[in-house]
Amino acid sequence: MKITLLTGKTFDIENTFDFPLIIKSSLRIKRMSLRIDHKCREVICSVPKFCSKKRIVEFINTYLDWIEEKLSNLPAVKDFEDGEHISLFGKSVVICHQDDFGAPKLIEDKLFVGGDKAFLHRRVKDFIKREAKKEFFRRSQILADKLQVKLSGVTIKDTKSRYGSCSTLKHINYNWRIALAPDMVIDYLMAHEVAHLKHQNHSSAFWQTVRLLDVNCDEGKSWLSVHGNELFLYR
Ligand SMILES: [Zn+2]
């Protein structure tokens, strides 16, 4: 198991812990604490900056039962399945596997997927990623035009933690899993990232800009705080 300190110092305590562990160290942290990151399925241990490796290991060892219980209670990771109903860009869609069907295709409310069933998840995921690239770019471009800011492109990412991010190069990264959220949540997340093209922070001017884009920030945020983790259950 590799432990990473935010100071850039890395030490290896392989064979000590058999769960994913991230050590966060900072001057601002006054005492050691543990939490479980539900999206990344990792144990996060926050430690004061000059804490010794020995003390960190001792601290974690005293909470092993708690960690095991928390990790084993995390909901199982999900694959897309034949017959499963999903929300895709705000529409209810059912996944239909057919051996002899070619590339995945959305026909009305059915997403037909061919090939070996063992690859169903991968095929559905690749389809959503391809469609998301077009759809999220289209929707973001409309919002960028409203704000009269330049959007240079959109990339679809498969990170386990973030919904999106915005670079200083006027480029937006979106997590493909956003495609599975309700439409108003997609609207909110697009407006959030497009507003970052104008403000690279979360200042009141930033939130005013998000609201200019006519999205329901409060509902979007509250849906994400309750259901956001469910999006990350998909592998
Ligand atoms: Zn933000």
Side-chain angles (χ1 to χ4, degrees):
M1 185 63 52
K2 202 169 248 181
I3 280 195
T4 307
L5 289 176
L6 286 187
T7 51
K9 194 177 156 199
T10 298
F11 48 74
D12 215 35
I13 51 162
E14 227 160 316
N15 306 322
T16 308
F17 300 111
D18 57 358
F19 46 79
L21 174 68
I22 304 287
I23 304 288
K24 292 191 172 176
S25 158
S26 142
L27 274 176
R28 277 179 299 150
I29 299 170
K30 298 293 173 220
R31 54 195 184 88
M32 285 193 271
S33 66
L34 281 172
R35 70 180 177 86
I36 308 291
D37 184 315
H38 287 238
K39 292 193 190 93
C40 300
R41 310 174 84 85
E42 289 166 340
V43 178
I44 311 290
C45 181
S46 302
V47 301
K49 186 140 184 169
F50 300 107
C51 202
S52 72
K53 175 182 169 181
K54 184 169 170 278
R55 276 193 60 206
I56 298 171
V57 171
E58 274 171 8
F59 175 73
I60 295 170
N61 272 331
T62 54
Y63 285 96
L64 286 183
D65 287 346
W66 180 86
I67 291 169
E68 257 172 50
E69 194 202 322
K70 290 286 175 193
L71 289 178
S72 64
N73 285 339
L74 285 177
V77 174
K78 279 205 288 193
D79 274 355
F80 291 114
E81 283 173 30
D82 182 26
E84 183 179 353
H85 288 260
I86 57 170
S87 172
L88 190 58
F89 306 113
K91 283 191 210 115
S92 179
V93 164
V94 60
I95 298 170
C96 302
H97 175 256
Q98 273 181 12
D99 287 322
D100 52 353
F101 204 83
K105 194 172 180 186
L106 188 61
I107 302 173
E108 291 174 9
D109 63 345
K110 292 187 175 69
L111 175 57
F112 290 98
V113 190
D116 191 330
K117 221 173 180 177
F119 303 116
L120 182 89
H121 175 77
R122 166 60 58 187
R123 290 181 149 229
V124 172
K125 180 170 162 177
D126 287 346
F127 172 81
I128 295 174
K129 282 161 88 175
R130 275 198 305 276
E131 294 301 307
K133 189 167 169 67
K134 291 182 269 179
E135 176 69 5
F136 293 169
F137 180 72
R138 187 186 69 78
R139 287 165 79 153
S140 300
Q141 185 65 68
I142 292 170
L143 300 175
D145 287 346
K146 269 194 196 174
L147 294 184
Q148 295 181 310
V149 290
K150 182 176 155 45
L151 170 66
S152 60
V154 157
T155 301
I156 302 302
K157 296 274 186 183
D158 192 9
T159 54
K160 272 297 198 168
S161 52
R162 310 185 74 176
Y163 299 113
S165 62
C166 176
S167 84
T168 46
L169 300 167
K170 307 293 180 197
H171 194 99
I172 299 177
N173 300 313
Y174 289 116
N175 196 308
W176 68 271
R177 295 171 180 85
I178 295 173
L180 305 170
D183 218 34
M184 63 92 180
V185 177
I186 299 176
D187 279 340
Y188 159 65
L189 287 169
M190 310 269 116
H192 185 116
E193 294 309 328
V194 171
H196 275 316
L197 295 171
K198 215 170 170 178
H199 305 279
Q200 305 279 319
N201 51 40
H202 291 122
S203 60
S204 57
F206 163 81
W207 288 110
Q208 257 170 28
T209 307
V210 178
R211 287 191 163 83
L212 270 182
L213 293 171
D214 216 14
V215 291
N216 197 331
C217 294
D218 298 336
E219 260 187 65
K221 277 196 265 184
S222 80
W223 189 92
L224 288 168
S225 71
V226 178
H227 300 286
N229 288 340
E230 294 165 19
L231 301 177
F232 287 92
L233 289 181
Y234 286 97
R235 269 199 300 140

